[in-house]
């Protein structure tokens, strides 16, 4: 018994049982130090094995093991959750997935407070940072009382250099996880909701651009017409435009109604576009009106130069390349001969004098003649043909200084739906400009200015130039008095011009009356020698016997 007891005390693994005198072997519990030592060695072995596999195992084989390992785990432990992956690049040429961009914008706006790791980038506006999820971060979204989990993950690319033109880069993707009971909700509405909201967020955050058409790569033999772009930063708005307030509000309501009428246009079976014709004398703010329209609706602007377009096919290609939420502008369309009343002139015929004048004008510019074959028919198809329905939410704006010169087919309703006349500045428009330029809403000189506006025509551009201070010390009253002086000077010029025109009319009338009397005298003498004479009556002259 003493030997057994001694052996138990020394080893600590055996215990004496007094009933049968046998020793029972028992394992003592491991200490924390022993547990950590064992775990560390196991983890080190696993990490070493994984590093060997990643270095020497082919990428395709690793993916193969990952796929089947996941299937094996799902078979053993079936999960009630469904996962959807949305990759950043898709297709053979790795074009950026629009769905990925929409999800990125949506999640950046819906980032919950539990997101701990974010990425900050300078946005397109350059005024603030744009926040997005960092890799392997997860956020929770709630839609119709259902929870959805989004995670940004990536598949690492090959570490070795690829001989292909397209290197094996890391592939990022968003993973959507949700309970399988919400499968129908995801298919029917949730994904559509995410795409719609994401697109709207991207449109609102983007920097709007101004496009113009020109030739493509100059080193290519066959040049093509393409759009080139700059950021659109025109500050004009309807608050700064000098025009009648009621007319201004009418235009604003028309624009906002159009931008919110997608379903209405689809219901009536009409392409979602609208034409605006801006006409009036030079300096009345046609270009400024276009900039204000773009700023109001947050649209891009495509400034189309027709003389740079080779033919109708090239014009159609340009139309296809335009995006939705845009304004397509053709300024001074009356300066193009093909789109004026040329058809009516040809029907009526021209005199030899007109033909000679046109020939004299054209001959010196033969070398500078633009080789554009765009026709009126091609432009009409551009405005409201079948191809004009590609995309949607577009405004087509024409500007002209001479409305009477344009072909009626070009400006009829359905093509140019709304005609907006931008005329000379009125007193109400002057008050808007005075508020903008001088920060003055009322002044004692306004009464004198109102009286002058009744007799003087001045464009908003001239009014703005007169109101603008010419030095830093110049006050509002000094600018208004200078403006009154300009109005009085213009009034004197217009009165002098009117007097000269009246004198010309009087002289021409006197000459016409003398010419008529002389002609009557000649006719009387001739007819008197023939034995007859003319007698003037209210219906003309008649001849009687002497």
């Amino acid at each position: 018994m003493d030997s057994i007891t001694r052996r138990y005390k020394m080893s600590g693994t055996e215990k004496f049982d007094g009933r049968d005198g046998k020793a029972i072997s028992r394992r003592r519990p491991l200490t924390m130090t022993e547990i950590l030592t064992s775990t560390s060695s196991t983890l080190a072995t696993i990490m070493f094995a994984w590093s060997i596999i990643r270095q020497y195992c082919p990428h395709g084989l690793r993916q193969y093991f990952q796929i089947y390992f996941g299937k094996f785990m799902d078979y053993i432990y079936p999960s009630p959750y469904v996962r959807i992956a949305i990759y950043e690049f898709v297709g053979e040429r790795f074009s950026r997935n629009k769905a990925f961009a929409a999800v990125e914008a949506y999640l950046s706006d819906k980032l919950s407070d539990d997101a701990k790791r974010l990425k900050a980038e300078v946005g397109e506006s350059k005024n603030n940072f744009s926040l997005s999820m960092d890799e392997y971060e997860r956020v929770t979204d709630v839609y119709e009382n259902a929870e959805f989990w989004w995670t940004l993950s990536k598949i690492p690319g090959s570490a070795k250099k690829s001989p292909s033109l397209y290197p094996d880069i890391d592939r990022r993707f968003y993973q959507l996880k949700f309970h399988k009971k919400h499968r129908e909700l995801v298919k029917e509405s949730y994904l559509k909701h995410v795409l719609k909201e994401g697109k709207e967020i991207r449109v609102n955050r983007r920097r709007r651009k101004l496009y113009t058409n020109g030739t493509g790569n100059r080193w290519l033999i066959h040049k093509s017409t393409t759009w080139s772009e700059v950021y659109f930063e025109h500050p004009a708005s309807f608050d700064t435009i000098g025009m009648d307030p009621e007319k201004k509000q009418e235009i604003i309501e028309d624009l906002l109604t159009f931008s919110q009428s997608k379903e209405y246009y689809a219901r009536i079976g009409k392409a979602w576009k609208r034409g605006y014709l801006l006409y009036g004398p030079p300096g009345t703010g046609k270009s400024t009106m276009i900039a204000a329209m773009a700023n109001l609706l947050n649209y891009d602007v495509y400034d189309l130069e027709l003389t740079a377009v080779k033919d109708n096919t090239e014009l159609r290609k340009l139309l296809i390349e335009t995006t939705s939420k845009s304004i397509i502008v053709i300024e001074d369309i009356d300066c193009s001969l093909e789109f004026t009343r040329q058809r009516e002139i040809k029907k009526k015929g021209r005199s030899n004098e007109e033909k000679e004048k046109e020939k004299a004008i054209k001959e010196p510019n033969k070398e500078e003649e633009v080789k554009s074959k765009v026709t009126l028919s091609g432009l009409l198809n551009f405005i409201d043909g079948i191809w004009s329905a590609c995309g949607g939410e577009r405004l087509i704006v024409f500007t002209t200084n001479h409305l009477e010169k344009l072909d009626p087919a070009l400006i009829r309703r359905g093509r140019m739906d709304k005609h907006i006349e931008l005329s000379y500045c009125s007193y109400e428009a002057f008050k808007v400009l005075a508020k903008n330029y001088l920060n003055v809403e009322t002044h004692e000189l306004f009464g004198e200015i109102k009286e002058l506006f009744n007799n003087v025509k001045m464009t908003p551009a001239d009014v703005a130039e007169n109101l603008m201070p010419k030095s830093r010390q110049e006050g509002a009253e000094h600018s208004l008095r200078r403006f009154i002086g300009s109005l009085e000077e213009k009034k004197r010029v217009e009165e002098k011009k009117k007097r000269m025109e009246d004198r010309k009319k009087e002289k021409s009338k006197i000459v016409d009356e003398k010419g008529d009397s002389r002609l009557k005298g000649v006719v009387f003498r001739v007819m008197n020698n023939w034995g007859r004479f003319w007698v003037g009556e209210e219906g003309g002259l008649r001849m009687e016997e002497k």
Side-chain angles (χ1 to χ4, degrees), residues 193-209:
H193 165 74
V194 171
L195 291 177
K196 180 182 177 182
E197 293 289 328
K199 288 180 180 178
E200 291 181 357
I201 293 170
R202 291 192 68 203
V203 168
N204 294 331
R205 288 181 179 177
R206 83 191 193 284
R207 287 187 70 185
R208 289 175 297 110
K209 295 180 180 180

Side-chain angles (χ1 to χ4, degrees), residues 70-341:
K71 290 183 178 180
F72 176 73
M73 294 302 296
D74 288 340
Y75 179 77
I76 297 176
Y77 302 105
S79 175
Y81 296 98
V82 181
R83 293 173 176 85
I84 298 177
I86 302 176
Y87 288 90
E88 183 176 10
F89 297 99
V90 293
E92 295 180 357
R93 297 188 178 183
F94 294 99
S95 59
R96 185 173 172 84
N97 190 359
K98 295 181 179 179
F100 183 92
V103 171
E104 185 176 41
Y106 175 80
L107 293 179
S108 66
D109 189 65
K110 300 288 184 179
L111 290 174
S112 57
D113 296 336
D114 58 350
K116 304 300 181 183
R117 292 178 299 171
L118 304 173
K119 291 189 299 184
E121 298 175 353
V122 178
E124 288 189 348
S125 62
K126 296 183 180 181
N127 294 327
N128 52 12
F129 284 98
S130 175
L131 297 179
S132 60
M133 292 173 56
D134 197 4
E135 294 173 354
Y136 305 109
E137 182 65 14
R138 189 177 77 168
V139 295
T140 304
D141 186 25
V142 179
Y143 177 76
E144 294 187 3
N145 298 324
E147 286 191 351
F148 302 92
W149 298 276
W150 288 94
T151 307
L152 177 61
S153 305
K154 72 174 181 179
I155 300 176
S158 176
K160 297 181 179 180
K161 294 183 179 179
S162 174
S164 173
L165 294 176
Y166 300 100
D168 190 8
I169 60 176
D170 296 345
R171 297 180 62 191
R172 297 193 306 162
F173 64 94
Y174 280 105
Q175 186 179 76
L176 171 63
K177 180 181 175 182
F178 56 91
H179 199 278
K180 60 183 180 181
K181 66 181 179 181
H182 302 310
R183 183 188 292 267
E184 293 299 322
L185 177 63
V186 172
K187 291 170 58 178
E188 295 295 330
S189 62
Y190 180 66
L191 288 179
K192 295 179 181 178
H193 165 74
V194 171
L195 291 177
K196 180 182 177 182
E197 293 289 328
K199 288 180 180 178
E200 291 181 357
I201 293 170
R202 291 192 68 203
V203 168
N204 294 331
R205 288 181 179 177
R206 83 191 193 284
R207 287 187 70 185
R208 289 175 297 110
K209 295 180 180 180
L210 171 64
Y211 297 84
T212 184
N213 59 305
T215 55
N217 192 340
R218 60 176 182 166
W219 301 110
L220 296 178
I221 298 176
H222 301 287
K223 294 182 179 180
S224 60
T225 305
T226 56
W227 293 108
S228 57
E229 63 194 51
V230 295
Y231 288 117
F232 183 75
E233 298 177 344
H234 201 293
S237 66
F238 278 94
D239 293 334
T240 61
I241 290 180
M243 64 183 305
D244 183 75
E246 294 183 1
K247 188 175 182 180
K248 185 191 301 185
Q249 188 61 34
E250 178 187 347
I251 297 171
I252 293 173
E253 290 296 330
D254 188 84
L255 290 168
L256 295 177
T257 301
F258 165 80
S259 65
Q260 300 169 6
S261 301
K262 180 179 181 179
E263 296 179 357
Y264 175 77
Y265 275 81
R267 181 171 62 83
I268 64 177
K270 187 177 180 180
W272 192 15
K273 62 181 181 58
R274 188 163 176 80
Y276 286 82
L277 177 65
L278 309 181
Y279 66 95
T284 51
K286 293 183 285 294
S287 299
T288 306
M289 172 66 72
I290 295 171
M293 294 166 68
N295 288 329
L296 175 68
L297 300 178
N298 198 23
Y299 283 5
D300 294 323
V301 178
Y302 289 84
D303 186 10
L304 180 60
E305 179 58 49
L306 287 175
T307 57
V309 183
K310 183 174 64 175
D311 51 23
N312 294 336
T313 303
E314 203 70 49
L315 183 65
R316 194 178 301 119
K317 290 180 181 178
L318 286 170
L319 175 64
I320 295 173
E321 292 176 2
T322 60
T323 60
S324 300
K325 293 184 178 295
S326 61
I327 302 176
I328 303 174
V329 181
I330 303 179
E331 292 196 275
D332 297 324
I333 194 170
D334 57 284
C335 296
S336 182
L337 181 62
E338 293 296 328
F339 310 131
T340 59
R341 293 178 176 266

Side-chain angles (χ1 to χ4, degrees), residues 428-446:
E428 295 297 327
F430 157 76
K431 290 197 295 184
V432 175
L433 294 175
K435 177 67 170 63
N436 295 335
Y437 285 84
L438 303 176
N439 198 23
V440 173
E441 296 184 4
T442 57
H443 198 274
E444 58 183 7
L445 297 176
F446 277 18

